[in-house]
Amino acid sequence: MSAADAVAVLVVLAVTLYAWSGFADYGAGFWDLTAGGHVRGVRVRSLIDAVITPVWEANHVWLVYLLVVTWTSFGAAFASIMSTLFIPLSLAALGIVLRGANFALRKDAAREGRRQAAGVLFGFGAVLTPFCFGAVLGGIITGRVPPGDAAGDELTSWWNPTSIMVGLLAVAMGAFLAAVYLIAEAHRRGLPGLREYFRRRALIAGAVAVLFGVGALVALHGDAPQMFDRFVTRGSVLLVLGLILLGVTFWMAARGAVRGLRLTALGGVAALVWSWGVAQYPYLLPFGLTIEDGSGAAVTQRWILAWFGVALITLVPALILLYVLDQRGELGEDPLTSLESAEPGDLRS
């Protein structure tokens, strides 16, 4: 394996970690948006706030990592993607801003109406961003991003059957992951009502994700038969493994099991992401730009790998500590900084 191939593996790893963390955050925003009115949805939103607040910014460090590594190591592919898919990428950035700003405003705005409006914008951003990221991936795997100086069509590159279905699949998978995480959190906090609430929604989101996944494969078969063939041949083992693990997660959720639920969900999502990586290898942009042709200087790739080793020693232990402290309930928001703490709606009420 060359240094460029190793960096490409790190890119796929970053996508996996972002799917596990960032997309689950977006999914929590989806459930926040659909929780109902202020009174009806207060307990659901309180749990979501309590779960997201300590870790929500850390969850998105992998997006920054993904952008920086791709830009540095595979500049030609990065430029083509940014030139062709600037519309969905700009919309995704808008969604990130809406989500982040309104997550804070919806708790600390002085007036109730403004808090509700901020909550809607928070949920809207949490749906817009994963859809656009999925549409970007759909444009890449269908070969609508040409390598070199020429940019692809600014609209059809991402607004096509495969991109739409992959975007919807990304939203559904984020909602499914979030519901699975929230089942475990509700169980840990002794909230059986909310555990059942999110159990039902995990089943619904899982079923919808299966439909969108099938739709994405059908659309891919029509848009890019060569990539479809690679998915069902080269990536078939990982694809089947992912479906099995997600099926086990669905079965466990249907039975009300909690132990091991998050692990099977994480394994299923990882297998699906890796099936894409295996199917697309060795191309950065199917089927015009390979990893070897699109990589930067060899010394750049080696430095990226070296700094990844530094990150393993520094960043990863810090993130693990953050998540461990969060699971132990040792992290939380200072009640003196939030107006919401002065209002009714305690988690256990």
Side-chain angles (χ1 to χ4, degrees), residues 2 12 41 51 70 74 108 125 146 181 183 207 232 261 311:
S2 67
V12 175
V51 171
T70 306
F74 307 112
D108 294 336
Y181 292 176
I183 290 171
V232 299
L261 189 66

Side-chain angles (χ1 to χ4, degrees), residues 6 53 82 119 121 132 151 160 177 187 200 223 289 306 336 340 344-345:
T53 297
M82 288 294 175
L121 291 174
C132 289
N160 56 76
L177 268 181
H187 177 75
R200 293 195 300 268
D223 282 345
L289 184 66
L336 298 178
E340 190 167 329

Side-chain angles (χ1 to χ4, degrees), residues 17-277:
L17 292 169
Y18 193 51
W20 282 354
S21 54
F23 272 67
D25 267 7
Y26 297 133
F30 174 84
W31 296 125
D32 186 282
L33 182 65
T34 58
H38 176 67
V39 175
R40 178 185 173 188
V42 65
R43 297 182 69 238
V44 172
R45 294 190 175 99
S46 294
L47 178 61
I48 290 172
D49 281 352
V51 171
I52 288 180
T53 297
V55 299
W56 71 288
E57 290 182 288
N59 285 340
H60 297 274
V61 70
W62 303 113
L63 177 60
V64 178
Y65 169 86
L66 177 63
L67 291 173
V68 171
V69 170
T70 306
W71 173 36
T72 305
S73 299
F74 307 112
F78 186 87
S80 296
I81 292 169
M82 288 294 175
S83 298
T84 300
L85 299 167
F86 70 92
I87 292 178
L89 288 170
S90 298
L91 291 174
L94 173 63
I96 290 172
V97 172
L98 288 175
R99 178 187 173 279
N102 288 286
F103 181 66
L105 289 175
R106 76 186 196 130
K107 295 188 290 182
D108 294 336
R111 296 182 181 179
E112 174 63 27
R114 293 178 181 176
R115 290 200 294 272
Q116 291 182 1
V120 171
L121 291 174
F122 163 69
F124 176 73
V127 173
L128 176 64
T129 299
F131 174 81
C132 289
F133 281 148
V136 166
L137 179 59
I140 293 172
I141 64 176
T142 54
R144 288 184 165 91
V145 181
D149 296 331
D153 189 276
E154 61 188 24
L155 183 60
T156 60
S157 60
W158 65 280
W159 195 254
N160 56 76
T162 300
S163 289
I164 292 172
M165 294 308 301
V166 175
L168 293 173
L169 175 61
V171 174
M173 286 303 300
F176 176 72
L177 268 181
V180 168
Y181 292 176
L182 289 164
I183 290 171
E185 286 295 330
H187 177 75
R188 183 173 69 86
R189 296 166 189 261
L191 304 169
L194 288 177
R195 184 180 66 185
E196 177 62 21
Y197 176 92
F198 284 111
R199 187 189 70 84
R200 293 195 300 268
R201 279 150 182 79
L203 295 176
I204 294 171
V208 172
V210 169
L211 294 177
F212 286 147
V214 172
L217 284 176
V218 171
L220 182 63
H221 182 269
D223 282 345
Q226 186 177 355
M227 180 58 75
F228 173 83
D229 291 340
R230 293 170 74 92
F231 261 103
V232 299
T233 54
R234 295 170 56 121
S236 60
V237 174
L238 287 168
L239 192 62
V240 171
L241 177 62
L243 293 175
I244 291 173
L245 288 172
L246 291 175
V248 170
T249 306
F250 191 90
W251 174 73
M252 292 173 65
R255 294 180 64 241
V258 176
R259 184 182 296 273
L261 189 66
R262 287 179 289 190
L263 291 177
T264 56
L266 292 174
V269 170
L272 293 182
V273 172
W274 297 344
S275 71
W276 154 68

